[in-house]
Amino acid sequence: MVENCRALATLLPVKPEAVQLSRWQTAAYRLAQACVLLVLFMIAVGAMVTTIRAGDTNPGWSWRFWEWITTWWSSQGGRAYEDGHRVIGTVVGFAGIGLAVAMYKGERGGRRWLGVIALALISLQGLLGGLRVLVVSDENVRETVLSVTGGGYDVELRRAVKAMIHGVTAQVIFASLACIAVVTSPRWHAAWSGQKSPAAGGTRRLALAACALITGQLALGTLVRQTGEHVLLHVFGACTVTLTILWLLLRVFRHHGSFAPLRRLGGALGVMLMFQVFLGITPWMLTAGELVSHDPASPVALMRTAHVTLGALILASASVLALWLHRLVLPANQEERATSTAAGFEYTLGRRLRDLWVLTKARLSALVMVTVASGYLLATRELPNVVHMSVALLGVACVALGVAALNQYLERERDARMERTRDRPVAAGRMAPAHALVFGAVTVLGGSLALLLWVNWLSALLTFATAAIYVGVYTPLKTRTTINTLVGAVPGALPPVIGWAAATGTITLHAFVLFAILYVWQLPHFWSIARLYREDYERGGMKMLSVADRDGRFIAGQIALWCVALIVTSFLPVLVGMAGGMYAGGALALGLAFLAAGLVNLKHQTRATTRGVFFASLLYLPLLLAVLIADVW
């Protein structure tokens, strides 16, 4: 009976004891609260600026921020709202500096950097606001922006997009600061008795989905306010967000209503949702769809401003609710203790982020991005369209991260037998295989679709083919034949071709030259890895060349031989007229240095010399591509 009572007690929340904060922690908490209020005020004034179309009343932009205070003091009408918006933004910037300093001084671990991140976001928002003004009023700025974004100059469309980014960034900053205000509060620092529930996982995921949907709806709403178009899509988004929030609140009150923070946030979110629907419908009905209200004191202008402001509050409330749900509500099968402390929560969150980092093989994916960007830059031979290039890199990055996750899903049993990989999240059992499978499939398909819609079909096809060959051909071959490395080098050599195709929409001889260099480079690179972890691969049942070659003599010879082949292959850009003498000299020097590492390994065949080959390969490729880009440009 006593044991049953103790077990029941771990499932019930207890009122946390008060926690005494240090002087710096208290300052951080107060500054976070001040930043929240200031940013909310800034959003409200910015919404009024958009409503009455006062954004162009002061076309100038000065880094001498104190001038805005003097102009605001003497300005009237829409100019007063625009200058006041800038003054509030300035005050937010100084408050953000104070928050960053206080959190860095008063907190420990990763939490101390939250203030710095908030300050960076606030600074980014200020730069976006200034760019939005200058791109219209300053011809030099406009030409610079056009040179790196490409295309013609559609004033209204570009202003609408910039306003959308500017507005949504402010609302995301507001939600982030609200979360920072929570994690710096005494209530957060207290120890809570958490709840283990079978419904926890679904509720937490639904809360995150609600935050994502609200953010998208806010972005769409900003675009509608700027252009007057896509109203029906905005209405559909409102219905989707409303149903999602209602579903979330139903789960919170049904399964987790014993916690005061969750009850209060859920109740507030429900009330705000009701008023938000009213504020969205009423002005539209009163004005028959007219979005501009020139009188800031009119009921329609005030309701539209309140609609935007309340949207930010809903996003912040949903974000804080998601934060508390992840702190207080735990899945029933989770190993964490029911008692939840701030330090324990942050440790668990940090471990999950590290698991996600390992699952996606982020370092390897970063190297893939370098080769994709190199292919893009070599194809353009000039300052590229930064927006187009960024979309291409983002799409390929999603696919690369997804492929890594799918690979760990397929190899989870073999990974568990190998020393090097047994601590991977899926192999170690910290992540459900189904979660890795879904994450991998969604990111691969999402990245490929993004390339298809916003880059071109050829880059999307090549990227999806790369993923298919890696997951569907190379991964199964690792347990069947020692030639798997030769096959796996094909998807590894395609990224620069993808970059070339993304930039030009075609594949030329120069793209195949890049493919050849990447293909040959991979052989000594991966064989050095295979030699370093020969015993691991043998335990995992991998048919690697290093497993068959027990004394390592043959694979050392192959590494040296392919280093020679790489020197020859690296001269192909010169032979086809792609590069000149500067690249030739750099390629020869880098190739000889790489070959020297291979020859030293061939002579001594130790673990240290093999590791030398591996590190030489990591230096060789980015340096070679850098020299090639410098020569071509």
Side-chain angles (χ1 to χ4, degrees), residues 301-372:
L302 293 174
M303 282 191 286
R304 288 213 167 103
T305 299
H307 185 61
V308 176
T309 308
L310 194 56
L313 280 168
I314 289 174
L315 175 61
S317 300
S319 301
V320 172
L321 178 60
L323 182 65
W324 275 111
L325 280 168
H326 282 75
R327 166 76 186 273
L328 300 177
V329 180
L330 307 174
N333 58 351
Q334 197 160 310
E335 296 181 359
E336 277 88 347
R337 295 176 299 173
T339 301
S340 174
T341 63
F345 169 79
E346 290 159 14
Y347 172 79
T348 302
L349 178 62
R351 190 184 68 183
R352 287 175 180 167
L353 293 176
R354 287 191 295 271
D355 282 347
L356 185 62
W357 177 273
V358 174
L359 178 73
T360 56
K361 298 182 181 177
R363 292 178 183 175
L364 179 60
S365 298
L367 184 59
V368 172
M369 292 302 98
V370 169
T371 58
V372 174

